[in-house]
């Protein structure tokens, strides 16, 4: 599995993804799940993927091909809006579906892929989209300013409690890492390294991208503090008022 | 959906279950998911269920039927061990599977059920089992002293951090409620009231069973404190050391 989360905030965008891929527990490998395209000063595009690795790689290959061909209607580095880019990602998913879905099904494998695309193109505000396996897509709104894909449930409560569009980028990055931490602790199919990208609104640059490996001092520190803090908090929460019946006591 | 959790601790057992059942979001109702059988001073049995409501009700009906018939080999109130009781639950699941699985499949419905059975029979320690849809079952061990069924992921991180076999019953009950709270907040298909049962080892009695409804003052209090405490903890966790590039600043 995979876990990726992205947040659309007033100050910009935050993206985080793990990098574990498994096909059965005896075949676990590391694959980065974040792909970045940019034209400095003009556009930044970030794509994160979950699902069948062959499918997600094929989708990226199609997108790259159109970028190399500089096709004005098919290149994500040329089209006018992030909506158009999301539409191109959806088209690429549909092309791969056309090619692979039937043989996959004959082998008992579902056509399983989901993608998060975010970024900013000059003339627009930063935008964030989620693209489904059917190639259709939705955009994040102020009411629900984040998307998750993959193994999403363990890390959802902390985001629901902390994130809104006014959250600043630093806090949002911290929240994304703690959400990853909860997921990694509870699910062996999600693992380090983590790709973390903080995109500042109107910067049109990728100058805040970090790869967090095992023993990263900051990540280790917040994992420990968060774990201890949760345990301390748990201790100070009042006990249930229902007395435990102490026999003979 | 449903969320149920049970913990097997040195001091006894803790069971908690929500009570929301849904068949699509426009058909949400309240059904209790905890069933208790007892012989005061001799045995206490607690069964919690998740999955298709018709199947879980049918399984309970089969178990009740055998109890009423006082069949020495089939009544959970007569057999010698909790292992035998788990085996009877598994047999009941297989009977219902035999009867219902094919017509369900013809209607596109999976045979979906999972159950947690725990309790104590005089002569044994308290024991805790999980019974699968195939009628097979496993027992909790000191390494993993809890079982969850239903919508399990949101509420797993808090249990993983807090619970071990030495946790006392009061703390475990508090943990179970916070685990339910995380699930209820993030998933609309899990809801109040909560059945909470604290079984003290060797008590052979059900004297600590609580139904927690909307506006229960203790549950409201710990939900608020937990939410505020998490937010406070989040604030004091150090921010990432990577400076956000402040253009023009």
């Amino acid at each position: 599995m995979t876990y990726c989360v992205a947040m659309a905030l007033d100050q910009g965008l935050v993206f985080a993804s793990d990098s574990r891929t498994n096909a059965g527990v005896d075949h676990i490998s590391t694959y980065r799940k974040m792909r970045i395209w940019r034209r400095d000063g003009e556009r930044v595009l970030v794509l994160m993927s979950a699902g069948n690795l062959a499918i997600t790689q094929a989708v990226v290959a199609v997108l790259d091909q159109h970028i190399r061909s500089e096709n004005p209607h098919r290149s994500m580095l040329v089209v006018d809006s992030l909506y158009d880019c999301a539409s191109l990602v959806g088209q690429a998913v549909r092309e791969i579906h056309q090619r692979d879905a039937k043989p996959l099904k004959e082998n008992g494998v579902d056509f399983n892929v989901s993608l998060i695309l975010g970024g900013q193109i000059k003339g627009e505000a930063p935008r964030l989209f989620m693209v489904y396996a059917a190639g259709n897509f939705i955009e994040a709104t102020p009411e629900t300013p984040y998307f998750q894909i993959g193994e999403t449930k363990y890390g959802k409560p902390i985001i629901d409690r902390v994130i809104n569009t006014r959250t600043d980028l630093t806090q949002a990055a911290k929240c994304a890492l703690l959400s990853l931490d909860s997921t990694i602790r509870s699910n062996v199919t999600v693992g380090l390294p983590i790709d973390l990208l903080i995109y500042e609104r109107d910067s049109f640059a990728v100058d805040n991208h970090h790869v967090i490996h095992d023993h990263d001092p900051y990540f280790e520190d917040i994992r420990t503090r968060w774990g201890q803090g949760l345990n301390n908090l748990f201790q100070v929460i009042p006990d249930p008022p229902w007395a435990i019946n102490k026999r003979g006591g």
Side-chain angles (χ1 to χ4, degrees), chain A residues 77-162:
Chain A
L77 288 187
V78 180
V79 295
D80 287 336
S81 69
L82 214 77
Y83 182 94
D84 290 338
C85 293
S87 176
L88 290 176
V89 173
Q91 279 179 48
V93 170
R94 286 172 182 169
E95 272 179 56
I96 304 304
H97 185 272
Q98 190 96 19
R99 190 191 78 183
D100 286 356
K102 197 158 161 276
L104 284 173
K105 199 174 177 184
E106 284 163 13
N107 283 280
V109 179
D110 283 339
F111 188 85
N112 170 21
V113 63
S114 51
L115 303 122
I116 294 174
L117 175 74
Q120 188 176 12
I121 295 178
K122 208 146 198 168
E124 291 193 323
R127 300 175 77 175
L128 186 64
F129 292 87
M130 169 132 88
V131 183
Y132 298 104
N136 56 337
F137 53 89
I138 56 173
E139 183 167 7
T141 59
E143 294 72 35
T144 308
Y146 70 90
F147 287 133
Q148 302 172 289
I149 52 177
E151 195 58 83
T152 61
K153 295 183 180 182
Y154 305 106
K156 187 167 185 286
I158 173 70
I159 301 175
D160 283 338
R161 288 182 197 272
V162 168

Side-chain angles (χ1 to χ4, degrees), chain A residues 22-28 188-189:
Chain A
N22 72 307
V25 286
D26 52 354
H27 193 87
I28 291 185
V188 73
T189 70

Side-chain angles (χ1 to χ4, degrees), chain A residues 71 163 172:
Chain A
N71 180 330
I163 294 296

Side-chain angles (χ1 to χ4, degrees), chain A residues 10 42 65 68 77 98 155 158 169 177 183 191 200 247:
Chain A
D10 294 341
E42 199 271 329
Q65 204 171 15
R68 275 196 309 276
L77 288 187
Q98 190 96 19
I158 173 70
L169 292 175
L177 291 177
T183 311
E200 196 188 359
R247 279 156 306 122

Side-chain angles (χ1 to χ4, degrees), chain A residues 15 29 40 46 68 114 123 148 162 164 168 200 206 231 243:
Chain A
F15 302 88
S29 341
D40 277 348
V46 181
R68 275 196 309 276
S114 51
Q148 302 172 289
V162 168
N164 60 63
D168 75 36
E200 196 188 359
V206 179
N231 271 293

Side-chain angles (χ1 to χ4, degrees), chain A residues 10 18 36 44 52 92 112 135 177-178 181 235 245:
Chain A
D10 294 341
D18 88 308
I36 303 164
V44 167
N52 184 303
N112 170 21
L177 291 177
L178 292 172
D181 174 44
Q235 297 305 327
N245 182 30

Side-chain angles (χ1 to χ4, degrees), chain A residues 31-92:
Chain A
Y31 286 94
R32 307 274 292 276
K33 289 148 192 175
M34 186 185 289
R35 186 78 170 70
I36 303 164
W37 293 271
R38 62 182 133 170
R39 236 174 214 178
D40 277 348
E42 199 271 329
R43 74 179 63 194
V44 167
L45 306 170
V46 181
L47 184 72
M48 300 192 298
S49 53
N52 184 303
L53 184 63
I55 298 173
T56 61
Q57 289 190 347
V59 168
V60 169
V62 167
L63 295 170
D64 273 335
Q65 204 171 15
H66 290 305
I67 286 172
R68 275 196 309 276
S69 73
E70 297 181 23
N71 180 330
H73 304 296
R74 298 297 305 269
S75 165
M76 292 206 302
L77 288 187
V78 180
V79 295
D80 287 336
S81 69
L82 214 77
Y83 182 94
D84 290 338
C85 293
S87 176
L88 290 176
V89 173
Q91 279 179 48

